[in-house]
Structures are given as structure tokens and as C-alpha cells.
């Protein structure tokens, strides 16, 4: 069953902002599928109340539940910054939730499903340099390899978007760990298609468990690169 049909079948279930979390709303899937075809101010105005109730409302309730364990959380604004973009569509086709800590935990919901992620997206040059030293050193790489394997066991993979297209200076393009050396972001992500568990109250604990996997990665970053993030 497609995400759109699932959202249509269960769109009647609404979450009201300010109440306890009872699950994400499947109408969010249909909402973003429709927004993808109608990304206009007129469509948004017609569907703004639907966004507030079925998309943002459940995420606000989820944030309130996750905050006790993961600290401050922020929901991203739905409006795109189009000032320097060739794409002038005004609205984001997903909703994002992120922790306010330096090492982030992130959640994104759209018509494709749910992404849980985290780590460090804006990585200073000194941090990248130290990370590449670890990747290149056989004596140090083992702990990083084990941490990434643990993340993979939990369904996470390193995020490669934004990576260098060539080898960084000082490294050969045929380096056995070239994909890690090319990274510019130190983040991991897990993506999942729409599923019944997302619309249930237990989704908060399921998402928290995924974020705990992210915490293991974040702890590795702090323990091994922490002194370089401020440079």
C-alpha cells in the first residue's frame, strides 16, 4: 500500500497540539505528497490548519516526550529560504526536528517515510583533518570501524551527501577507506518507509531507541574529536 493511500485511509486520526503523544499522523505522508505537486502559497493557505493539526501537532507532542532524555529540541520552520536558490518553491517538503546540542539528533518526516539521524553536519577543518588521520591510521581505525559497524547493525549508515568528489589533499584516490576520507559531514542516518508503528504511541520509544544509537556515534565523536570542534 502506498504512503499516500495509507495517509488517506487514516487521515481522520488527528493529534491536537499540547496533548500527550499518541503517534505521528499518517496524514503527514499524504500532506507532503500533495504538497510536492502543489507547492504554492494558495495550496498552503488552504491546508495550513491541516499542517498544524496533523503534521506539526504530533511532532510537537513527540518533542515534549523526547526532551526529557535528549534535551532541548527545535522544529524547523516549514518555509524555504529561496533568496539564493534557483528553486523558488516556498515550502519544505518535510518536517524536521533536531536537538539543540552540538552533537545533534535529528528526525525528518515526509511522503517517503521517516529518517532518524544525527552527528555533526558543520565540521570545522581541524576536525576533518583529525578524523582523516584516524581513518588513515591502522592503529586507530579499529575503534571507529567498530562504532560504524554497531551503527550499521542498528540500521544506520554514514551520510555521504556533500562529500568531496576527489581524494582530499595528501591522500590517494585508491586509498582503501577513501569514502570515509572524502566525508565533509560526520553524521549517520537511518531511513524507513511509512509503517504502522509510526502512528502508535509506542513510536516515541522506538524513535528514542534509534536516537540512542545516534548517541553512541556522538559519543565517539566527542571522545575522539572533541578538542578540535572549537577550532
Amino acid at each position: 500500500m502506498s504512503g499516500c493511500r495509507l495517509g488517506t485511509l487514516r487521515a481522520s486520526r488527528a493529534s491536537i497540539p499540547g496533548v500527550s503523544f499518541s503517534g505521528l499522523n499518517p496524514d503527514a505522508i499524504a500532506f507532503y505528497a500533495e504538497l510536492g505537486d502543489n507547492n504554492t502559497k494558495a495550496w498552503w493557505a488552504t491546508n495550513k490548519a491541516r499542517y498544524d493539526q496533523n503534521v506539526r501537532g504530533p511532532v510537537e507532542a513527540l518533542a515534549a516526550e523526547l526532551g526529557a532524555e535528549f534535551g532541548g529540541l527545535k522544529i524547523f520552520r516549514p518555509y524555504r529560504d529561496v533568496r539564493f536558490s534557483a528553486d523558488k518553491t516556498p515550502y519544505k517538503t518535510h518536517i524536521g526536528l533536531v536537538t539543540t546540542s552540538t552533537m545533534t539528533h535529528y528526525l525528518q518526516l515526509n511522503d517517503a517515510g521517516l529518517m532518524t539521524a544525527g552527528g555533526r553536519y558543520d565540521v570545522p577543518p581541524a576536525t576533518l583533518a583529525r578524523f582523516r588521520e584516524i581513518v588513515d591510521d591502522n592503529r586507530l581505525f579499529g575503534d571507529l570501524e567498530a562504532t560504524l559497524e554497531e551503527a550499521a547493525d542498528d540500521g544506520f549508515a554514514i551520510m555521504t551527501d556533500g562529500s568531496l568528489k576527489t581524494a582530499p589533499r595528501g591522500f590517494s584516490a585508491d586509498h582503501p577507506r577513501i569514502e570515509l576520507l572524502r566525508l565533509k559531514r560526520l553524521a549517520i542516518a537511518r531511513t524507513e518507509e511509512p509503517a504502522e508503528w509510526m502512528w502508535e504511541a509506542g513510536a516515541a520509544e522506538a524513535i528514542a531507541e534509534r536516537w540512542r544509537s545516534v548517541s553512541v556515534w556522538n559519543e565517539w565523536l566527542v571522545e575522539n574529536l572533541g578538542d578540535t570542534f572549537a577550532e
Side-chain angles (χ1 to χ4, degrees):
M1 180 180 295
S2 71
C4 291
R5 287 181 60 198
L6 179 61
T8 300
L9 286 172
R10 302 190 61 186
S12 59
R13 174 178 168 185
S15 297
I16 301 172
V19 303
S20 61
F21 180 73
S22 58
L24 298 169
N25 194 308
D27 187 42
I29 304 299
F31 178 90
Y32 282 116
E34 294 168 31
L35 177 61
D37 294 328
N38 304 276
N39 201 324
T40 65
K41 292 182 178 180
W43 187 91
W44 183 267
T46 300
N47 289 272
K48 177 62 164 57
R50 178 184 172 196
Y51 167 81
D52 290 337
Q53 184 171 350
N54 292 351
V55 181
R56 187 180 179 95
V59 174
E60 288 179 343
L62 175 64
E65 191 148 332
L66 294 174
E69 179 173 349
F70 296 96
L73 291 153
K74 165 185 148 180
I75 299 174
F76 286 101
R77 287 163 49 86
Y79 313 105
R80 295 184 63 249
D81 184 352
V82 301
R83 290 174 297 173
F84 308 107
S85 175
D87 178 3
K88 298 301 182 182
T89 52
Y91 304 104
K92 297 174 183 175
T93 54
H94 63 267
I95 187 169
L97 174 69
V98 67
T99 55
T100 56
S101 54
T102 302
M103 304 302 167
T104 65
H105 298 73
Y106 178 71
L107 174 147
Q108 179 176 294
L109 180 66
N110 63 10
D111 62 320
L114 183 72
M115 179 174 73
T116 45
R120 184 69 182 255
Y121 296 86
D122 54 331
V123 184
T127 303
L128 278 179
R130 178 55 183 158
F131 177 76
R132 288 167 181 161
E133 288 177 5
I134 293 171
V135 171
D136 187 49
D137 191 328
N138 290 330
R139 298 167 301 171
L140 301 176
F141 179 65
D143 187 46
L144 170 58
E145 183 178 36
T147 303
L148 289 172
E149 287 177 351
E150 184 177 348
D153 288 342
D154 293 336
F156 286 85
I158 200 83
M159 296 181 73
T160 58
D161 55 310
S163 294
L164 295 173
K165 297 189 182 301
T166 60
R169 182 176 299 177
F171 296 96
S172 170
D174 61 359
H175 192 288
R177 296 187 279 274
I178 188 61
E179 294 303 317
L180 291 175
L181 293 171
R182 287 175 175 161
L183 293 175
K184 294 181 70 177
R185 295 175 177 170
L186 301 180
I188 59 174
R190 171 176 174 169
T191 58
E192 300 173 77
E193 295 181 352
E196 287 294 323
W197 67 266
M198 299 175 185
W199 327 131
E200 300 169 355
E205 177 56 29
I207 291 167
E209 190 61 31
R210 287 155 175 75
W211 274 8
R212 292 179 193 122
S213 297
V214 172
S215 292
V216 174
W217 172 245
N218 286 346
E219 288 166 6
W220 186 91
L221 292 176
V222 171
E223 290 172 4
N224 291 275
L225 308 172
D227 291 344
T228 65
F229 280 113
E231 296 182 20

